[in-house]
Amino acid sequence: MKIAITALEGNSQSKIDARFGRAKFFMIKDQDTNEWTAISNQAVEAAHGAGPLAVQTLSDNGVNVLVTGNGPGGNAARGLQTAGIEVYLCKDDVTVEKALEAFEKDDLKKF
């Protein structure tokens, strides 16, 4: 399983980014290999459609779960649902690693 967490910086010690479509980075944890991958979100500068572009990035990287601060907007939410990516909400004053721990403990609210 691959878990993406929105992040302000490209490392697991970063604070999470409350935004989805315009998050600066996606930190992806591969639960099978236990490896982190930082993906710069190319949709952050998009004039329109940042949410669906971000969904495509996650889908292209085989993500199964998204952890973010705020719920994604309508188009992004529909895209995530269509892609089969589950969304969980986490307060945005924690690090990416703490957000992952909260997800693993089943302490996050499903969107």
Side-chain angles (χ1 to χ4, degrees):
M1 175 169 56
K2 290 186 178 181
I3 303 164
I5 303 170
T6 55
L8 295 172
E9 299 174 19
N11 63 72
S12 62
Q13 295 302 311
S14 169
K15 294 280 188 183
I16 72 166
D17 196 326
R19 304 164 297 173
F20 166 62
R22 297 198 186 276
K24 292 183 180 179
F25 290 90
F26 298 113
M27 289 301 302
I28 300 175
K29 177 70 178 249
D30 186 325
Q31 296 291 78
D32 296 329
T33 65
N34 207 32
E35 293 181 15
W36 285 103
T37 303
I39 305 289
S40 179
N41 182 12
Q42 300 304 308
V44 76
E45 297 296 329
H48 302 285
L53 289 172
V55 171
Q56 189 63 52
T57 297
L58 297 185
S59 182
D60 289 348
N61 283 279
V63 168
N64 310 97
V65 171
L66 167 67
V67 177
T68 189
N70 296 322
N75 289 336
R78 283 187 289 281
L80 289 161
Q81 184 177 25
T82 299
I85 299 172
E86 295 182 356
V87 180
Y88 292 84
L89 303 180
C90 183
K91 56 185 175 174
D92 60 2
D93 63 345
V94 299
T95 65
V96 168
E97 283 188 348
K98 293 291 183 187
L100 178 65
E101 287 175 18
F103 170 77
E104 290 173 337
K105 292 178 182 176
D106 201 24
D107 285 344
L108 301 181
K109 179 182 172 188
K110 191 170 183 179
F111 178 74

